[in-house]
Amino acid sequence: MGTYEALVHDYESGVGVTRTSMPAVDPGANLAATLPVWALSGGAVAAFGAAADRRRTAYGSAPLESVPDPGRVAAAFASDRLFRRNGLPAQGFAELSGFFRAADAWVRTHANYPHHRARLLTALELPADASRAALENRLAALPAAEVEARAQEAGAIAVRVRAEAEWADSPQGKAAAAGPLVAVEARADRGAVRSRSAATQLLPLRGIRVLDLTRVIAGPVATRALALLGADVLRVDPPQLPEIHWQYLDTCQGKRSTLLDLHTDLPVFRELISNADILVTGYRPGALKRLGVQPSEISPGIVHGRVSAWGEQGPWGDRRGFDSIVQAASGISLIEGMPGNSPHADGVGALPAQALDHASGYLLAAGVLDALHARERDGLGRDVRVALARTGSWLLSAAGRTPDHAPAQDPDQRYAVTHGAVTTARPALAEYPDHPWPAPPYGEDGPAWLPRPDGSR
């Protein structure tokens, strides 16, 4: 089984920071899979913890030197399986999401959001009320490549399931594997360096403002991790496209929540950016530019974290995607669907958690922390980028595959916490028994910042 220390060192060499020494940890059956999922998940959490310690050390506080607890990390990564609301589990994938047989190969669809469901049915020329059986019949009559092409043209989400070698040899696969695990790039714009006087050992980001324009899992996990360290995180959602509610409750702990239409309330959005230290977005490349928004001009020196499915370069750079879709396209689904691993007789499967999403989230949070630390030295703004497909390429290239593994252990209830009607996973870092507060009511906050602890604007 692969070691999580390898990912920490790959992250640190990519961003140019001193290598951190990590003790060995036996994960047992937590996140057991053919691919070294523990190496990815434990490493991503450890990289985040090490980045937080670099910030602590910079202002004279003692580092926590976190060592990832396999059970706690597994619970955080499989939080959807611990989630309960009024005693009921999360819905998970919607009726039209999943693996389907096309005429010549498997495809995987993602239709959890109503607008993605509508686009998928439009792409396949099915009525709006089509059932799963109707979708199965329609897909069975079409070549998998045609399904993928139709989905792309309609803005829907469906991919042909590929083998690992095919993905690696494709232009999009090569683009996904290129560059560092987390890209941190300095820009020319320069901003004032903010005082760190409000920071404490457990809250090294106290006094830092984070504007969160992300949804689903990876981006919200990143900003939730920053909130855990004391940042004032304001999550912005569009009023016309509500988030899946259980998903919001599972990833918005410690944040505030507001609704804002960026097309009609652009001046408010620009004002929020102008007083933010960090902006985290999950939009496809060019989306902010099309709105006429250039964060580095509005707030010189801002740290801009970005998460995408496929990366910002290559032939798939502008495509939509999710963890399950990246797994299917990159070969992971076939690897995890080998005999003994798959619930499907024909051999397609999935990782024991949406590990590409969660790991990318912690890696993005680590990159943002290190970019913020670098900015405090030179005043320069920085861009920080992660992609689910780049995270997946690390997993595919990592040592330590275990085809004959035990079944993945269920997430341990000891790592769950209940507030009122909602049960979620505890933070992945053992030094934090709980998040600062549960997810607030959706959209309850105004689009404004709280006063900083030091009284500055």
Side-chain angles (χ1 to χ4, degrees), residues 65-113:
E65 298 182 343
S66 300
V67 176
D69 174 336
R72 184 179 284 269
V73 170
F77 275 57
S79 59
D80 56 316
R81 293 166 62 191
L82 284 177
F83 182 89
R84 296 291 184 275
R85 188 180 185 198
N86 294 319
L88 299 176
Q91 179 185 357
F93 287 104
E95 179 189 25
L96 302 189
S97 296
F99 290 107
F100 295 88
R101 264 292 188 184
D104 56 353
W106 285 100
V107 295
R108 183 149 196 179
T109 64
H110 195 290
N112 287 5
Y113 288 91

Side-chain angles (χ1 to χ4, degrees), residues 199-258:
T200 67
Q201 185 191 31
L202 276 180
L203 303 177
L205 289 182
R206 187 167 176 262
I208 295 296
R209 290 171 172 168
V210 179
L211 188 59
D212 176 9
L213 277 76
T214 67
R215 292 159 73 83
V216 197
I217 298 175
V221 164
T223 52
R224 185 183 63 187
L226 299 176
L228 187 69
L229 302 186
D232 176 16
V233 179
L234 180 63
R235 171 168 166 157
V236 178
D237 281 282
Q240 68 275 21
L241 291 174
E243 177 64 295
I244 296 170
H245 196 57
W246 78 261
Q247 204 161 256
Y248 165 82
L249 294 173
D250 194 41
T251 59
C252 206
Q253 302 98 316
K255 310 177 196 179
R256 297 182 299 118
S257 168
T258 194

Side-chain angles (χ1 to χ4, degrees), residues 428-453:
L429 293 180
E431 291 79 8
Y432 296 83
D434 199 357
H435 294 281
W437 55 80
Y442 189 67
E444 78 162 2
D445 294 285
W449 295 111
L450 298 175
R452 295 188 193 267

Side-chain angles (χ1 to χ4, degrees), residues 97-429:
S97 296
F99 290 107
F100 295 88
R101 264 292 188 184
D104 56 353
W106 285 100
V107 295
R108 183 149 196 179
T109 64
H110 195 290
N112 287 5
Y113 288 91
H115 58 292
H116 288 157
R117 173 193 165 98
R119 291 172 186 170
L120 178 65
L121 294 175
T122 297
L124 298 173
E125 301 173 344
L126 289 170
D129 61 351
S131 66
R132 185 178 177 92
L135 179 66
E136 288 174 343
N137 291 335
R138 177 62 172 148
L139 290 173
L142 295 172
E146 182 179 339
V147 173
E148 186 175 272
R150 282 173 172 251
Q152 169 62 10
E153 184 177 352
I157 302 169
V159 294
R160 177 171 61 86
V161 175
R162 290 162 169 78
E164 178 183 5
E166 181 188 356
W167 173 254
D169 288 341
S170 69
Q172 58 268 31
K174 291 176 180 177
L181 188 58
V182 179
V184 179
E185 297 175 354
R187 303 187 306 267
D189 53 287
R190 190 182 301 269
V193 176
R194 187 168 303 285
S195 167
R196 292 179 293 209
S197 60
T200 67
Q201 185 191 31
L202 276 180
L203 303 177
L205 289 182
R206 187 167 176 262
I208 295 296
R209 290 171 172 168
V210 179
L211 188 59
D212 176 9
L213 277 76
T214 67
R215 292 159 73 83
V216 197
I217 298 175
V221 164
T223 52
R224 185 183 63 187
L226 299 176
L228 187 69
L229 302 186
D232 176 16
V233 179
L234 180 63
R235 171 168 166 157
V236 178
D237 281 282
Q240 68 275 21
L241 291 174
E243 177 64 295
I244 296 170
H245 196 57
W246 78 261
Q247 204 161 256
Y248 165 82
L249 294 173
D250 194 41
T251 59
C252 206
Q253 302 98 316
K255 310 177 196 179
R256 297 182 299 118
S257 168
T258 194
L259 302 180
L260 190 69
D261 188 330
L262 304 190
H263 296 278
T264 60
D265 295 323
L266 200 53
V268 178
F269 179 46
R270 293 174 67 92
E271 179 67 16
L272 287 172
I273 293 174
S274 71
N275 289 295
D277 302 291
I278 298 166
L279 171 66
V280 184
T281 59
Y283 298 136
R284 287 181 297 156
L288 287 182
K289 186 176 181 180
R290 288 191 289 273
L291 283 172
V293 172
Q294 184 66 38
S296 61
E297 294 177 358
I298 299 169
S299 181
I302 196 168
V303 172
H304 186 182
R306 305 201 291 271
V307 58
S308 63
W310 309 104
E312 297 184 4
Q313 305 298 324
W316 283 21
D318 64 344
R319 292 198 180 197
R320 298 170 177 86
F322 294 90
D323 182 308
S324 60
I325 297 297
V326 174
Q327 288 189 43
S330 65
I332 293 173
S333 292
L334 291 181
I335 292 168
E336 296 300 334
M338 291 192 299
N341 296 338
S342 174
H344 296 271
D346 291 332
V348 286
L351 300 175
Q354 295 195 63
L356 306 184
D357 257 328
H358 286 270
S360 296
Y362 286 104
L363 288 169
L364 179 58
V368 164
L369 281 167
D370 282 320
L372 185 66
H373 178 48
R375 172 202 148 151
E376 289 170 347
R377 295 196 305 268
D378 60 22
L380 295 177
R382 282 170 169 79
D383 292 325
V384 183
R385 299 190 307 276
V386 301
L388 305 188
R390 179 65 185 90
T391 303
S393 73
W394 186 93
L395 180 63
L396 286 163
S397 65
R401 294 191 183 187
T402 53
D404 298 320
H405 60 83
Q409 183 173 310
D410 289 335
D412 195 324
Q413 292 290 332
R414 291 179 300 166
Y415 302 115
V417 61
T418 299
H419 295 282
V422 177
T423 297
T424 56
R426 295 184 186 275
L429 293 180

